[in-house]
Amino acid sequence: MMSTVQTEISAAVKTRTDGKFKRSEDVAFYRRQSQGPNMQHQALLDTLVLAEKGARLELLEPDKKTALLLTLSASEEGSVRIVVDELHPVRARYRVPDVVVEEAPCEQLRVQQHSEDSVVLSWSSGAYGVRVWRFPFRLEILCGEDVVVTFNSRGKLWFEPLQDPSGAAEKAKSSGASTSSEVEGDQTGSLWTETFEGFVDVKANGPSSVGADFCFHGFSHVYGVPEHADDLQLRDTRHGEPYRLYNLDTFAYEVHSRRGLYGSVPLLLAHRPDRTVGVFWLNASETFVGVRYSPSERQVVESKTKKGLETDVRWASESGVIDCRVLLGPGPQQLFSQYARLTGYQALPPLFALGYHQCRYSYEDEADVKAVDAGFDRHGIPYDVIWLDIDHTDEKRYFTWDPARFPEPLRLQRHLEARKRKLVVISDPHIKVDPGWWLYREARDRGHFIKDRDGRVFQGSCWSGESSYLDFSNPHTRAWYSRCFGLDKYEGSTPSLFVWVDMNEPSVFDGPEKTAHKDAVHHGGWEHRELHNLYGFYQHMATMEGLITRSGGLDRPFVLSRSFFAGSQRFDAAGAVWTGDNCASWDHLKITVPMLLSLSLAGISFCGADVGGFFKDAEPELLVRWYQAAALQPFFRGHSIKSAERREPWLFGEAVTAAIRNAIQQRYCLLPYWYTLFHHAHVSGLPPLRPLWVEFQKEQSTFAVDNQYMIGGALLVCPVTDPGVQEVQVLLPGSGEVWYDVHSAKMYRGGRTVSLPVTLDTVPVFQRGGSVVCRWMGRGSCTAEFQQLPLSVTVALSAQGAADGELYLDDGRSFSYRDRKAFCLRRFRMQSGCLVCCSGSKDGSFDCDTVIQSVSILGMERKPSAPTVRVSGAPDKSVGFGYVEMCRTLTVNSLNLRASLDWEIRIL
C-alpha cells in the first residue's frame, strides 16, 4: 500500500497537472484580432496639439466610427511613449499603476515637416523624430534620417471600445447565450461571455481588447518577453503559437514551449550590430506576442544585403489601453539604463542571499532541519539558508507553526543564527477559510479578500483546502499584510527569518487554468482580467514592505517570489525570482540558461532555477552538472519535491559530494565579484548575467548563442548540460580578444571556437583579457565567515598588456550603503607594468578590514626581476613572487594590503 505521504503527493501532483491550459485558438479576443480585418485608422492631422510634455491627436476608424486619442511624448535620452485610448470612453479603462517609478523628463516636440499626408515631430536638436502618416495611419520613429521602428506598420492597430453594461451583457449573464459572433464565421464564443472547460467568464463591459504591431527595420534578432521555457532568441511564430504572457501555475512545464509560465515581463528587445532597441508594452492583462522575421536570416546571408531585412512583432492584450515605450538605446547598456529608470533598478540583495540555499518540500521537523544543517558542516560544504515549505505550518495556515513538527521555532532560528545562517519560510496568497483563525477573520471583516462577480468573497481551492485570496491590489490590504510580519504579530519569528512567496499567480486548483476567474473583482471595482499579471507583483511588494518595516527600515530583506511582473526587480533587496516547478531532466537543465538570460535582459537580474529539478529524481551526473551550472548563476538554491529521493549533496557517494562541494566552494570564493556586479545592476541596470551579444555587440556569431553566457564583462561560462560529455565546443568571441582558462591559466585567442576536454569535476570558465576579478581565499561555512577572509585578485592582461576591474564593499546586510553612503568602490587598473588600486567613487566611505593577500597576473610575457609595492605614506617594499613560464602567470603572495586604501604594485 502507498504511504500517507505518497498518497498526498500523488493527489497533489494530479491536482496540479490535471486540466487544460489554453492555446491561442481557445482565447476569444485573440481569435478576433488574428482573424478579424485590418482596421484602417486615419490620423486626423488637423487635431494635432503640441503640449508642454508631448503631443496629442485624434485617430478615427472610418468603418466603425471608433474615435481614439493618440498621445506622444519623448525624452532626450532616447525613448518614445505611445498611448492610445478611447476619445470618449463610457468609463475609464484600466491603466497599470505602481510599475513605472519614474518617467524620463519629457522634451518639447516641434513640427519639423508638415504636409497633407504626414507630419514630422522632432526633439533633442533633431537627433530623434516621429513621422505620423495620415492614412493609413502609421507612426515612424526616426534616429537621424533612419526609420528604426514603425508603429502600426501593417495596420494591426486594434481597439475595442467599452460598452454600456446595462444591455447585452446583463442578458448574456442571465441566459448564458451568445449575443453575437466574434468574427464572421466564428460561432464558438460570444462577445460578452466566454466558456472554457466548463468555466463561464462574464465580461462586465463587453469585449475590450487592444493590439498593435511594430516593425523593427534592419533587425533579425529579437529577445525578451519572459517567462517561457524556450530559446533566448524569440522564434518566428507565424506557423505556430504566439508567446503568451499570462501568469500560471504550470507544474512540470514542457520545454521549448511558448506557453506562459509563472511571471510576465512585456519587454521585447531587438538587436543588430549598430543598435539595440526595445518595446515595453505596459499591460497586465492576458497578452500574446507574435514574431515574424522577413526575410529569413538565411535569405539575407545569401543575398549579402540587409535591404528589406525587418522583424514584425504583434502585441494583443485582453483589456486596458495601449501604453508602450519604445527605448532607442543605442546600445544594450543604454537600453538597460532606460528601462531600469522606468521600472526600477535591481535591488541590492543582502550578501547572504547570494550564497547557497538548501530547500525541500518539505523538511519534516526541527530535528530534520538541524540534522541537515549539521550535515553541511560535517561534509565541509558552505551554505547560508535553509528553507521550510508549507508543512511547517499549522494545517496550512500561514504565519503559524505546526505544534508537533516545529514546537520551538524561536529556538530553531537561534540555533541557525548562532552559525550565522538564516531560515526562510513560505507564505502563499490563499488564506484557509477558518473563522476560528485570527488572520482569516481580520481579512474577511476588513474587506481584504477578492470578490466574485456577484459581490461575495471569492473562494477557491489550494493547499489549505477551501481558501479566500487576499486582494493585494488594494494598498490597505498590502499595508495590513505587511504588518502581519511584525515580530509581535508573527509568533515564532525572528529578524533572521525571511520569506518565500509561492503560488501567487495566483494558483487556484479548481479555477480556470488553475487560476482566479477573470470576472472576479478587485479593489476599485476592477476585474481580475485587467490586472492578473500584477497579482504576484503586489504580494511580493507587500512582503518586502513587511520585512523592511519589521527591521525599522535598517536591514535589507530577502523575499523570493514565483510570480512577477515588470518592476519586480526593484523591491528593496528582495527582488528575487526562480523558474518554478521544473523537472529533473537534462532538457530542463539545458533550458535553464536561455530562461535566465531572458529574465536578465528584462531587468529580472536576481534569478535562478531549482538545482537538480523540482519534480522527479535526479541522477548523480545530472545533479553534479546542475550544481556546477547554478553555482555560476545569480540565485543558487537546491530544491525538490518530497516524493523525490532526498538529495542533500552528501547522499550520492564521495565522488559526487566532492564535485558538488567544489562547485559550491567556488561559488563562495567568487562572491566578491558577484556582489560587485549586483552593485552595478543596482546603479546602472546592467545585469550580472549577460548573453554574449551584450558584450560583443557587433559579432553576429554571438546573437543566437544561448548555451553559454557572460558573468559581467569578465567571465565566460559554458555549462555542461548533456550526459556523458567528455569534450565541449566553446565560442570565444572577439578576434582581438584574449581569453584565459580559469583552471589552467592557458591563453586562447578570441574569434574562434575551441574544443575543451571536460571531466565530471570541470566546467569551462574563461576570464577575458583586460579584466580584473576578486575572490575570497580559503574556506568558510557561510558568507559571514567568508567575509573575514582575505582576497585574491586575478588580473588577466589584454593583448595590449592592460586590465581594469572593480570591487564593491559594504556591510552586506543593511541600508547604510544607501542612507549613510557607507560603502567603498575600489578600482584596479593595470597598465605599463603597474597595477594600481584606487577609489572608484567619490561618494562612499567604508572603513573595513578586508585585505588583499594575493595578486595573480595572467599573460605576463616574461619573468620580472623585482616587483615592488608602494603604499601612500610608506617606503617602497620588495615582495616575493612566483612565475610559471608555461602559462605565463605571475603570482605575488603575502601582500596584506588594505582593500580600502590606495596602493600600487610595480612589475619591473
Side-chain angles (χ1 to χ4, degrees), residues 490-526:
Y490 190 175
E491 293 185 10
S493 67
T494 73
S496 64
L497 183 77
F498 296 90
V499 183
W500 165 23
V501 288
D502 196 9
M503 316 299 286
N504 56 335
E505 294 73 31
S507 180
V508 183
F509 288 163
D510 57 353
E513 298 193 274
K514 306 203 182 311
T515 193
H517 297 247
K518 286 185 172 181
D519 53 14
V521 180
H522 287 260
H523 172 69
W526 296 110

Side-chain angles (χ1 to χ4, degrees), residues 152-388:
N152 198 38
S153 61
R154 293 183 179 269
K156 300 297 183 182
L157 177 61
W158 184 279
F159 210 103
E160 296 179 322
L162 298 179
Q163 301 180 44
D164 186 347
S166 62
E170 290 302 312
K171 296 177 183 178
K173 183 176 177 181
S174 59
S175 67
S178 298
T179 58
S180 64
S181 63
E182 298 169 21
V183 293
E184 187 176 352
D186 182 357
Q187 303 298 326
T188 61
S190 77
L191 295 173
W192 290 81
T193 64
E194 187 173 354
T195 302
F196 177 75
E197 296 283 288
F199 294 99
V200 178
D201 172 26
V202 177
K203 299 171 174 61
N205 294 283
S208 59
S209 74
V210 298
D213 64 289
F214 294 80
C215 180
F216 296 88
H217 300 279
F219 293 87
S220 60
H221 295 82
V222 294
Y223 315 88
V225 294
E227 182 180 38
H228 303 92
D230 205 8
D231 301 337
L232 173 64
Q233 182 183 347
L234 301 183
R235 290 185 282 164
D236 193 304
T237 65
R238 77 184 85 183
H239 300 305
E241 285 289 290
Y243 290 91
R244 188 185 188 199
L245 294 175
Y246 193 63
N247 298 355
L248 292 171
D249 179 1
T250 47
F251 179 76
Y253 49 85
E254 297 177 359
V255 300
H256 298 296
S257 170
R258 302 168 206 165
R259 294 183 182 179
L261 294 181
Y262 306 93
S264 299
V265 183
L267 173 69
L268 181 140
L269 294 82
H271 179 71
R272 67 189 193 198
D274 64 333
R275 183 171 289 274
T276 308
V277 299
V279 169
F280 177 49
W281 179 267
L282 184 56
N283 194 297
S285 68
E286 181 179 9
T287 297
F288 290 93
V289 184
V291 177
R292 176 171 177 162
Y293 295 106
S294 178
S296 71
E297 189 174 5
R298 177 183 58 78
Q299 291 171 321
V300 172
V301 172
E302 290 175 353
S303 65
K304 298 183 180 178
T305 177
K306 291 187 178 180
K307 186 176 181 180
L309 179 67
E310 61 188 30
T311 298
D312 291 290
V313 177
R314 183 177 183 182
W315 301 79
S317 295
E318 184 176 11
S319 62
V321 301
I322 294 175
D323 186 355
C324 55
R325 279 83 166 171
V326 180
L327 310 176
L328 296 174
Q333 288 86 354
Q334 291 86 3
L335 190 143
F336 294 142
S337 179
Q338 291 160 5
Y339 178 70
R341 183 172 180 178
L342 192 67
T343 65
Y345 291 88
Q346 172 65 52
L348 181 63
L351 183 60
F352 80 81
L354 295 178
Y356 176 63
H357 301 246
Q358 181 66 34
C359 186
R360 177 176 171 80
Y361 168 39
S362 284
Y363 285 119
E364 296 298 323
D365 51 31
E366 291 175 359
D368 196 7
V369 172
K370 290 179 179 178
V372 172
D373 175 68
F376 277 91
D377 290 336
R378 187 168 64 253
H379 292 89
I381 302 173
Y383 94 105
D384 265 83
V385 191
I386 193 162
W387 295 51
L388 298 179

